[in-house]
Amino acid sequence: METLGSNSSCANGSLITLYCSSQQVLCQIVNDFEPDNSNVTLSNWQERVRKNYGFFIGVGLAIFSSFLIGSSVILKKKGLIRLVDKGATRAVDGGFGYLKDKMWWAGFLTMGLGEAANFGAYIFAPATVVTPLGALSVLISAMLSSYFLGERLNLLGKLGCMISIAGSSVMVIHAPEEEKIKSMNEMASKLKDTGFIVFAVLLVVSSLILMFIIAPRYGQKNILIYIIICSLMGSFSVCAVKGMGIAIKGFFQGQPVLRHPLTYCLGLILATSIPIQVNFLNRALDIFNTSLVFPIYYVAFTTMVITSSIILFKEWNSMSIVDILGTISGFITIILGVFLLHAFKDLDVTWASLPHTHKNPVPPPTPEPTIIKLEDKSVLVDNIELPTSSPEQKPKVFTIQT
């Protein structure tokens, strides 16, 4: 190859002629040249989309996920109602007839799609935005339950629902960001931590006591028992889902994740926790109103997931005083909202029944006293009614003896 420079200064814009065999090419020197990205790889395309439109995609997926999850609860409830109308064994009594109902399966698949959309939202948008948007599913389920199921939530229940959502949002906003884990070995080292092992043992023992001792006696009377069991199992399932996500990502990157025993342990945890959640959530929906079950379940589930995530990843070390106070305040707000939602659920309190403040009505005018004049005395005498003896009453005769 030979070169013949038409401008040998090699400055920006200079032209150089290149000879290769019988071919002649004229080239121009350009500074700050960026290569043509016409052959963009899949990873580069994903990074570009995430950088430019990731936030909006994440918000859209979170809203779509809330709509699907809120709708799935209504479909499940209608399936359970149809099961009762057919005379089959109810879910609260240990029946599994809902597994043969198409409406229930439609709700189950809808919830699965909603969780998948929620998982995708966490990929594109930060958790501090996605998780508060999950509270929209509570409002969607409340509106749909009042329209399709005829369930009503009194005024105090609505206020408790809004207070709980506000507390959850405050708690999530002040929660620290999750630590990014890139391999299964890092995840295994986190799970072997003493603090998380103690926390996991407490959750397992509490779940067993609730499922086998407390739930058979008080589960049909107290809405919190079934929901707490679902929330405790949900904390395990979310941690397992995060670990499986790391395993799937490592598999496509060529890591030997299939040889790691933690992958199969996480799969076993998912296979155990998810059916328990579905079973006890169906029991709660079978007895109590959807407008009560889903708000309490959302609050309890969010609280347990954030708590387990903080303990697992030790994120409190990076929390500031403001975040600690915000997390505690949000948790107390959640407790107050749940209490207001649950304690007064049987009261018939509406906006119309509240005492309203009105202006004091104008009292009627006091009647003037009647003034008797002297010339009216004859009229008064004529109007006096003298007592007359009854014709049936005989006159009394008094005899005086001496």
Side-chain angles (χ1 to χ4, degrees):
M1 178 181 293
E2 298 178 358
T3 61
L4 177 62
S6 59
N7 187 351
S8 58
S9 63
C10 293
N12 186 23
S14 301
L15 297 177
I16 298 178
T17 304
L18 300 178
Y19 293 93
C20 182
S21 299
S22 61
Q23 302 294 329
Q24 180 180 356
V25 180
L26 183 64
C27 301
Q28 183 178 13
I29 297 177
V30 179
N31 292 337
D32 300 330
F33 174 73
E34 295 183 359
D36 185 14
N37 292 329
S38 57
N39 297 326
V40 181
T41 62
L42 180 61
S43 60
N44 292 335
W45 179 82
Q46 290 177 348
E47 291 296 331
R48 180 178 297 181
V49 171
R50 181 182 302 177
K51 182 179 179 181
N52 297 332
Y53 309 102
F55 179 80
F56 302 101
I57 294 175
V59 171
L61 288 175
I63 296 175
F64 184 62
S65 171
S66 300
F67 178 78
L68 291 178
I69 294 176
S71 303
S72 66
V73 179
I74 307 302
L75 293 175
K76 285 185 177 181
K77 180 70 173 182
K78 290 184 72 67
L80 295 173
I81 293 175
R82 294 201 312 181
L83 185 66
V84 174
D85 295 338
K86 294 178 181 178
T89 304
R90 301 182 63 174
V92 69
D93 297 327
F96 296 94
Y98 55 85
L99 296 176
K100 300 179 182 179
D101 188 84
K102 297 180 180 179
M103 184 69 71
W104 185 89
W105 276 107
F108 181 79
L109 295 177
T110 303
M111 178 169 284
L113 292 175
E115 294 296 340
N118 192 43
F119 181 78
Y122 279 104
I123 296 177
F124 290 97
T128 55
V129 176
V130 175
T131 308
L133 287 177
L136 293 176
S137 59
V138 178
L139 302 179
I140 292 173
S141 65
M143 292 186 294
L144 294 179
S145 62
S146 62
Y147 184 77
F148 291 102
L149 302 178
E151 298 177 354
R152 297 187 63 185
L153 193 65
N154 60 15
L155 182 60
L156 295 177
K158 295 177 181 178
L159 292 177
C161 181
M162 299 301 296
I163 291 174
S164 300
I165 294 174
S168 300
S169 302
V170 171
M171 190 174 179
V172 170
I173 289 173
H174 288 280
E177 297 181 358
E178 293 181 353
E179 181 181 355
K180 295 183 179 180
I181 300 177
K182 300 180 180 180
S183 65
M184 296 298 292
N185 292 328
E186 295 181 6
M187 186 69 182
S189 63
K190 295 291 183 182
L191 294 175
K192 292 178 182 178
D193 183 73
T194 304
F196 181 77
I197 291 176
V198 173
F199 177 74
V201 170
L202 291 176
L203 291 186
V204 172
V205 173
S206 301
S207 301
L208 294 176
I209 293 175
L210 288 172
M211 285 189 290
F212 295 104
I213 298 177
I214 299 179
R217 298 180 181 179
Y218 309 103
Q220 299 185 16
K221 300 177 182 178
N222 195 329
I223 190 176
L224 294 177
I225 295 176
Y226 291 149
I227 293 178
I228 290 176
I229 295 174
C230 296
S231 302
L232 294 178
M233 291 293 102
S235 61
F236 286 109
S237 62
V238 169
C239 294
V241 166
K242 292 181 180 179
M244 292 299 294
I246 297 172
I248 294 173
K249 185 177 180 180
F251 176 78
F252 287 105
Q253 292 178 351
Q255 299 178 5
V257 294
L258 297 179
R259 300 178 183 178
H260 204 290
L262 182 59
T263 304
Y264 302 97
C265 293
L266 295 176
L268 181 61
I269 292 174
L270 282 177
T272 305
S273 60
I274 291 179
I276 294 176
Q277 286 182 258
V278 173
N279 184 20
F280 284 95
L281 182 59
N282 287 330
R283 294 188 182 188
L285 290 173
D286 194 16
I287 300 177
F288 305 101
N289 288 344
T290 308
S291 55
L292 286 175
V293 172
F294 201 62
I296 299 176
Y297 174 66
Y298 168 78
V299 171
F301 178 79
T302 304
T303 303
M304 290 304 304
V305 168
I306 292 176
T307 304
S308 61
S309 180
I310 290 176
I311 294 176
L312 177 61
F313 300 109
K314 290 182 172 49
E315 294 163 342
W316 64 78
N317 295 329
S318 60
M319 294 178 66
S320 62
I321 300 298
V322 175
D323 291 333
I324 293 175
L325 294 177
T327 302
I328 296 175
S329 300
F331 186 72
I332 295 175
T333 305
I334 289 172
I335 295 176
L336 295 177
V338 173
F339 175 80
L340 188 63
L341 180 66
H342 177 64
F344 306 103
K345 64 180 184 300
D346 297 327
L347 298 180
D348 187 13
V349 181
T350 60
W351 183 261
S353 63
L354 294 179
H356 297 280
T357 304
H358 300 285
K359 294 182 179 180
N360 295 327
V362 180
T366 304
E368 297 181 359
T370 304
I371 302 176
I372 302 176
K373 298 180 181 181
L374 294 177
E375 56 269 16
D376 296 334
K377 288 191 293 181
S378 59
V379 178
L380 292 175
V381 172
D382 294 337
N383 291 334
I384 294 177
E385 295 182 0
L386 298 176
T388 57
S389 61
S390 176
E392 298 180 356
Q393 185 177 6
K394 296 180 180 181
K396 296 180 180 181
V397 179
F398 298 94
T399 305
I400 301 174
Q401 297 180 356
T402 56

